[in-house]
Amino acid sequence: SESNSRRAVNRGYLGGLLRLYQDWHQNDVSNNYIHIRRGLLLCLKHITNSQLGRETFLGSRGMEILFTTVQDCLSCKNLDPIVNTVIQILRKCYPKESLPVATVRSSYFFPLPGNAKAEPPCEGSEGKWLKGEFSDYESDGEEEAEKDLDNEDVESKEEDYDLETDVNKLRSRSVLDRPEEELGQYEAMCPELSHNFQELESESEEEKRLEDRTESLLSTPSHFIPSATSLKHPNYRWRNQSVIEMGPDPQKKDFKVPLQSWTKKEKCRWDPINDKRDIVEAAQDVDSCEEEDPARSHAPTLRPLPKGAAWYKKMFYPECEASINPSPGGRLESSDTVTNLLEKHQGDIPFHSPRFYVARAKCVKSIPDYKDLAFPDFWGHQPPPYSKPMLERKYGVQRDKVLDDVRRLIQPGDVIGRTVFDLDEPSLSSPGAPGCLTFFSKFESGNLRKAIQVREFEYDLIMNVDVNSNQHHQWFYFEVRDMKLALPYRFNVINCEKLNSQFNYGMQLVMYSVKEALQGRPRWLRAGHDICYYKNHYRYSAAAGGGMRGKCYYTLTFSIKFPHKDDVCYLAYHYPYTYSTMMSHLDILEQNRNPKKVYWRQQTLCQTLGGNPCPLLTITAMPDSKKRDDLEQFYNRPYVFLMARVHPGESNASWVMKGTLEFLVSSDPIADLLRKCFIFKIVPMLNPDGVINGNHRCSLSGDDLNRQWLTPNSQLHPTIYHAKGLLYYLRSIGRAPLVFCDYHGHSQKKNVFVYGCSIKETLWQAGCVVDTAVITEDVGYRTLPKILDEVAPAFVMNSCSFLVEKSRESTARVVVWKEMGVLRSYTMESTYGGCSHGLYKVSKSFK
């Protein structure tokens, strides 16, 4: 009991227990009395449950004694009960401290419009675990005991705690959160309902030939878009945001995207004529951006390559490599270098153009005013050449890492403790000694706040929190260079927040090597070994702006052997997908679509809080003719409303959206049928500002946008406000979507699944009596998930849920279901870490 523990400390028993344990450990060489030794440890464990007990334990050199004695037990599995108990005591008694940052609030600040102020965020959907259930020490039953770790779904245990049981709140209700006259502005976002299709009467012979030519390309892969329509540059329309249907413009010269196909094995080069056109168009983009924002005096530049490295000289200057020296300051100051790079680009990366990317990146508005482009985003990447199995968790890896942390405390002699990168102190962003890694993260979607060299090959990393916030740490994306070959570097991301992670179940981070890319292998690959995720000794501090004393942090630790010496590598939580990537992807899709078959309309839903356009797409099939029946069928097609990336750190949602868009405009017969049956309204990136500035969950207002759908603020949450307004408008004209789906990523579950809404299932799960004569419900909300379960290998019906929780009442899924009356309103979750069944199941690798 607590009183007995306090009495034992006051009477000096704790020191005696330590000496007694030492004696048993030294003399029980045959391990015949493990139960006695563990019994002594359990006494120590109970005593150290109190603050006084922990302080006395530290004063009695308990950390040193247990750390030293446990080293003799690590190699024998029979001694695991002793090892696990020692680890629990060491972690509990490790002195708690604040993160080594001046403030836990974000390094970036954005002044909010009007009287709104950036306040510390309230407890949200992921804040349930902050409710005082953690004191300043750890409970007995946590994952570090090196148990099986089978129970990975933490959220499923908590799913029922706040089910909505008020039937009146579950019923659909037609309400408006704004004056009805405001809805008229959204008519312009539905030009397909009033378009007269005059171009169907003025089809040129060239366009007819184009249609014949594209028909012959149906044998290409279904996800490859037949190419070669001659259109004016999409950026022109984007800048002017005209409401005229996009189509061939006889007044403009043809502009063709260099054709790219992953079916071609031969090497191809960029067309020099198109090169010149690209440069001209890019220059026009820069001019337009400068006109819109004269304060932007710097166009972003590609991150410098290691010109001093032997491999770089050999690759670019094989005849005179000895005479080539790095440019002053290391930056690319000559267009020759970029030209050389583009000449090496094979043009074989699907739906990607470095030139288009640069043109779009130059128009991006960010808080740090980015001046650098990350190489992977500029260059692009190909899919991995093979599927990689999940990483097998090494036995005892977590306790080994914890013991390393303890060694750092009690044997600090080899601890360097040098800050080598710091967003808050840019002067420290250069390494202070040779042999030290160089870090960088000030590029689009980048996130690394601070890097501290612990030992020669070990670094502690701190992520930046979301703008105007003091929480949400998960997403990271940064550059590292000046590495040595074939040596394991250990990285510890020490300010993670989530209770658990797929990193404990075989997931790896991703790595991109610039040297590999320049040698023809541009790929993000899964990387890292000795990976684990566990609670550490860092705590929130009110003095550091935390506002939630006692909140725990977690460490993601991994080791990496870099493939080349003096390479430039990028490490990320998941495959990055930036705002500029999305915008340039839309440009290329529009260029490559077949305008005689695909109706494509790109508009701007609104400007974001940070001043970036949020695109809105309309995709459907062109009517067969101007005949009344064909036009009537076109106008009366039901709507499907798709959205993605409301949470910036869920980059997998953007990759799913990317595949959706490529399929919808492709020549696949199923895609053609879908276009003829439905009108797709798509917002491919609902939180551009968060994505641009490297946030994990929030917008620049510091709010989780997927908790603002009940009463969005037009100034603070413009994308939500106007997306909801468009849905209101569709409902007001009797065209509410047949299907609404919001794409997300899930960090703790595998596979792909959906969350839907059901009154009956919610009430049944909550244990309520349901009168089926009074409460009726169309079960059609289950139809689409069941179809997906049959046809989509990654989809799992058993992981789906149709419950409505009180804490989710302001999410898109629930609000669209209630207020718009959309029966099939879903959140679709995609895993970060692979599939556990079916075609895409990846088995663990045993080594």
Side-chain angles (χ1 to χ4, degrees):
S1 68
E2 186 176 344
S3 59
N4 284 338
S5 297
R6 190 162 45 247
R7 191 178 302 116
V9 173
N10 291 333
R11 295 181 180 181
Y13 294 163
L14 192 147
L17 281 172
L18 282 171
R19 289 190 295 273
L20 192 58
Y21 173 75
Q22 264 187 305
D23 186 59
W24 274 100
H25 173 79
Q26 292 169 358
N27 290 285
D28 186 22
V29 292
S30 300
N31 296 325
N32 294 325
Y33 301 99
I34 295 176
H35 58 287
I36 295 179
R37 292 156 63 184
R38 185 167 185 268
L40 292 169
L41 289 172
L42 289 175
C43 291
L44 288 170
K45 181 178 177 182
H46 291 308
I47 291 175
T48 53
N49 279 341
S50 68
Q51 179 70 28
L52 178 61
R54 291 190 295 277
E55 291 174 355
T56 306
F57 177 84
L58 291 172
S60 303
R61 299 185 66 254
M63 297 288 284
E64 291 88 339
I65 291 171
L66 294 191
F67 175 82
T68 303
T69 56
V70 80
Q71 303 300 319
D72 301 327
C73 307
L74 297 176
S75 59
C76 180
K77 282 196 174 183
N78 291 335
L79 298 178
D80 276 359
I82 289 179
V83 174
N84 292 336
T85 308
V86 168
I87 294 296
Q88 290 175 13
I89 296 172
L90 291 176
R91 297 186 67 183
K92 181 165 48 175
C93 296
Y94 199 115
K96 306 303 180 282
E97 58 180 301
S98 302
L99 284 173
V101 290
T103 172
V104 296
R105 295 191 67 81
S106 176
S107 298
Y108 300 145
F109 174 78
F110 184 81
L112 300 180
N115 295 323
K117 295 182 179 179
E119 297 291 344
C122 299
E123 178 187 330
S125 65
E126 298 187 35
K128 298 190 289 285
W129 57 279
L130 304 179
K131 290 181 177 177
E133 57 208 81
F134 294 103
S135 59
D136 60 347
Y137 66 91
E138 302 179 14
S139 61
D140 293 343
E142 41 185 8
E143 77 283 357
E144 64 269 16
E146 288 296 336
K147 294 181 180 177
D148 222 339
L149 289 178
D150 287 332
N151 190 12
E152 61 186 78
D153 186 12
V154 177
E155 292 184 2
S156 65
K157 288 183 174 181
E158 305 170 342
E159 197 171 57
D160 302 343
Y161 89 104
D162 70 338
L163 291 178
E164 182 59 76
T165 56
D166 187 335
V167 177
N168 292 324
K169 291 184 178 180
L170 287 171
R171 292 186 186 277
S172 177
R173 49 193 171 87
S174 180
V175 297
L176 269 179
D177 64 2
R178 67 199 73 193
E180 188 172 359
E181 54 268 21
E182 280 192 18
L183 300 184
Q185 64 181 305
Y186 300 104
E187 181 181 359
M189 295 183 186
C190 299
E192 67 279 0
L193 298 181
S194 57
H195 193 73
N196 57 18
F197 295 99
Q198 291 290 339
E199 64 271 22
L200 292 178
E201 295 182 344
S202 57
E203 183 183 46
S204 66
E205 290 300 318
E206 180 182 355
E207 288 169 332
K208 289 181 179 178
R209 289 194 299 271
L210 168 65
E211 183 175 2
D212 294 340
R213 185 165 67 254
T214 54
E215 288 290 343
S216 67
L217 293 176
L218 285 175
S219 59
T220 60
S222 62
H223 47 277
F224 177 70
I225 297 178
S227 59
T229 213
S230 297
L231 301 173
K232 64 181 181 179
H233 194 280
N235 290 338
Y236 175 86
R237 283 182 291 274
W238 171 73
R239 289 198 299 269
N240 292 277
Q241 301 175 17
S242 76
V243 294
I244 302 173
E245 164 63 10
M246 296 178 179
D249 186 347
Q251 304 300 320
K252 297 287 183 180
K253 292 185 178 180
D254 290 349
F255 182 89
K256 293 177 66 178
V257 179
L259 305 185
Q260 302 168 40
S261 169
W262 54 77
T263 61
K264 295 183 179 180
K265 295 184 179 179
E266 69 274 10
K267 294 184 178 180
C268 57
R269 297 287 179 181
W270 296 94
D271 183 349
I273 298 177
N274 286 324
D275 280 354
K276 295 178 180 179
R277 290 175 180 162
D278 285 337
I279 294 170
V280 171
E281 298 290 345
Q284 292 176 353
D285 278 334
V286 176
D287 292 342
S288 68
C289 291
E290 290 176 353
E291 289 172 7
E292 294 173 5
D293 187 4
R296 283 180 57 89
S297 58
H298 299 280
T301 310
L302 183 64
R303 284 287 295 155
L305 298 178
K307 293 187 176 182
W311 65 265
Y312 181 89
K313 296 177 181 179
K314 185 175 181 180
M315 183 176 295
F316 285 93
Y317 308 99
E319 298 178 357
C320 52
E321 61 179 83
S323 64
I324 302 299
N325 296 313
S327 61
R331 295 193 61 82
L332 291 175
E333 298 180 348
S334 170
S335 61
D336 292 341
T337 306
V338 177
T339 302
N340 288 340
L341 282 174
L342 292 175
E343 285 179 355
K344 292 184 69 65
H345 199 285
Q346 300 300 306
D348 56 353
I349 298 175
F351 305 104
H352 180 77
S353 162
R355 292 169 177 81
F356 275 38
Y357 186 88
V358 171
R360 284 299 187 177
K362 288 173 180 175
C363 295
V364 168
K365 297 178 182 178
S366 63
I367 295 177
D369 190 19
Y370 296 130
K371 299 176 176 61
D372 295 271
L373 300 177
F375 188 91
D377 305 321
F378 161 79
W379 193 258
H381 68 97
Q382 298 168 338
Y386 52 86
S387 61
K388 187 173 184 180
M390 303 295 285
L391 183 69
E392 173 70 7
R393 183 181 173 91
K394 178 183 174 183
Y395 182 80
V397 62
Q398 185 163 292
R399 70 187 188 191
D400 291 345
K401 300 300 183 182
V402 171
L403 289 173
D404 279 346
D405 293 343
V406 175
R407 180 183 292 109
R408 192 192 303 189
L409 173 70
I410 65 178
Q411 299 174 3
D414 64 339
V415 175
I416 299 173
R418 179 194 299 122
T419 298
V420 295
F421 176 77
D422 195 337
L423 275 184
D424 303 315
E425 296 288 343
S427 60
L428 298 177
S429 294
S430 298
C436 174
L437 293 177
T438 302
F439 295 85
F440 189 80
S441 65
K442 289 187 69 173
F443 47 77
E444 193 173 338
S445 293
N447 189 316
L448 177 65
R449 179 175 189 169
K450 192 171 186 177
I452 302 170
Q453 187 178 21
V454 178
R455 300 183 180 94
E456 184 178 4
F457 300 109
E458 182 179 357
Y459 296 82
D460 280 352
L461 308 178
I462 299 175
M463 296 175 288
N464 195 20
V465 300
D466 287 1
V467 177
N468 283 343
S469 170
N470 61 10
Q471 65 173 345
H472 303 305
H473 326 73
Q474 179 168 307
W475 173 257
F476 59 83
Y477 178 23
F478 59 89
E479 176 195 280
V480 61
R481 59 175 70 206
D482 298 328
M483 65 284 294
K484 296 180 180 179
L485 178 65
L487 291 173
Y489 286 85
R490 177 182 170 183
F491 299 95
N492 311 304
V493 183
I494 62 174
N495 65 331
C496 301
E497 279 186 323
K498 286 183 176 287
L499 283 170
N500 208 343
S501 170
Q502 281 293 311
F503 284 115
N504 274 336
Y505 307 98
M507 188 173 93
Q508 297 170 278
L509 67 154
V510 294
M511 179 177 72
Y512 186 103
S513 163
V514 171
K515 182 176 181 181
E516 287 287 307
L518 292 175
Q519 290 178 341
R521 297 178 294 275
R523 298 180 183 121
W524 282 102
L525 298 175
R526 294 286 184 178
H529 59 277
D530 290 350
I531 299 176
C532 67
Y533 185 95
Y534 60 93
K535 191 186 299 182
N536 60 35
H537 63 281
Y538 292 106
R539 296 293 181 269
Y540 252 76
S541 164
M548 287 174 281
R549 181 182 177 275
K551 175 184 170 182
C552 311
Y553 286 109
Y554 292 75
T555 291
L556 164 64
T557 181
F558 55 89
S559 297
I560 282 185
K561 289 184 179 180
F562 293 103
H564 303 286
K565 179 186 177 185
D566 294 331
D567 196 358
V568 179
C569 291
Y570 290 81
L571 303 180
Y573 180 89
H574 194 68
Y575 303 97
Y577 193 96
T578 68
Y579 172 74
S580 296
T581 298
M582 183 264 297
M583 295 298 285
S584 59
H585 182 238
L586 298 183
D587 292 342
I588 293 173
L589 286 179
E590 182 187 345
Q591 292 277 340
N592 284 273
R593 71 185 174 101
N594 181 350
K596 301 308 299 176
K597 288 184 173 293
V598 180
Y599 177 101
W600 168 287
R601 180 72 176 87
Q602 181 174 336
Q603 297 169 280
T604 296
L605 176 69
C606 63
Q607 295 290 317
T608 66
L609 196 58
N612 295 289
C614 178
L616 169 69
L617 305 177
T618 305
I619 299 175
T620 187
M622 293 288 284
D624 292 335
S625 70
K626 283 197 65 178
K627 293 179 181 178
R628 179 176 178 179
D629 289 347
D630 290 335
L631 291 181
E632 186 172 335
Q633 190 276 338
F634 177 91
Y635 297 137
N636 291 327
R637 292 170 188 168
Y639 278 93
V640 173
F641 204 108
L642 307 177
M643 307 186 316
R645 206 68 181 279
V646 69
H647 293 149
E650 297 170 6
S651 60
N652 43 356
S654 280
W655 288 106
V656 176
M657 177 58 76
K658 177 179 186 290
T660 299
L661 294 174
E662 289 171 5
F663 179 77
L664 283 178
V665 299
S666 73
S667 59
D668 188 285
I670 296 177
D672 187 51
L673 181 61
L674 286 171
R675 291 194 300 266
K676 290 178 178 178
C677 292
F678 304 102
I679 299 174
F680 292 88
K681 284 288 183 187
I682 302 174
V683 184
M685 188 173 286
L686 204 56
N687 190 352
D689 292 340
V691 173
I692 290 167
N693 292 286
N695 282 8
H696 166 57
R697 194 168 183 85
C698 298
S699 66
L700 296 189
S701 65
D703 295 320
D704 179 346
L705 292 182
N706 201 36
R707 296 297 182 275
Q708 309 303 322
W709 277 80
L710 269 180
T711 54
N713 183 293
S714 60
Q715 287 188 302
L716 297 180
H717 322 119
T719 61
I720 305 301
Y721 184 85
H722 291 292
K724 188 178 182 183
L726 177 56
L727 285 162
Y728 271 142
Y729 173 73
L730 291 175
R731 187 196 67 180
S732 71
I733 62 173
R735 303 295 297 276
L738 178 69
V739 175
F740 171 87
C741 190
D742 185 12
Y743 292 14
H744 284 254
H746 206 288
S747 65
Q748 296 187 41
K749 289 185 178 180
K750 289 182 167 58
N751 309 307
V752 179
F753 53 95
V754 300
Y755 294 126
C757 301
S758 165
I759 297 178
K760 286 186 177 180
E761 292 194 35
T762 301
L763 295 176
W764 284 331
Q765 184 69 27
C768 300
V769 177
V770 180
D771 186 346
T772 55
V774 176
I775 302 176
T776 59
E777 185 173 46
D778 185 345
V779 295
Y781 63 87
R782 279 184 165 265
T783 304
L784 184 57
K786 285 184 176 180
I787 294 173
L788 288 172
D789 193 46
E790 293 293 328
V791 302
F795 193 88
V796 177
M797 185 69 183
N798 289 340
S799 296
C800 297
S801 172
F802 303 94
L803 307 179
V804 181
E805 303 99 335
K806 297 174 185 176
S807 62
R808 303 297 198 274
E809 67 174 352
S810 57
T811 61
R813 162 179 62 100
V814 176
V815 170
V816 172
W817 174 67
K818 281 186 186 179
E819 297 188 13
M820 316 299 169
V822 178
L823 177 69
R824 300 169 184 83
S825 179
Y826 305 107
T827 296
M828 185 170 71
E829 300 276 3
S830 301
T831 180
Y832 285 100
C835 296
S836 60
H837 88 299
L839 180 65
Y840 298 128
K841 180 178 179 179
V842 283
S843 59
K844 294 181 177 179
S845 59
F846 295 91
K847 297 183 179 179

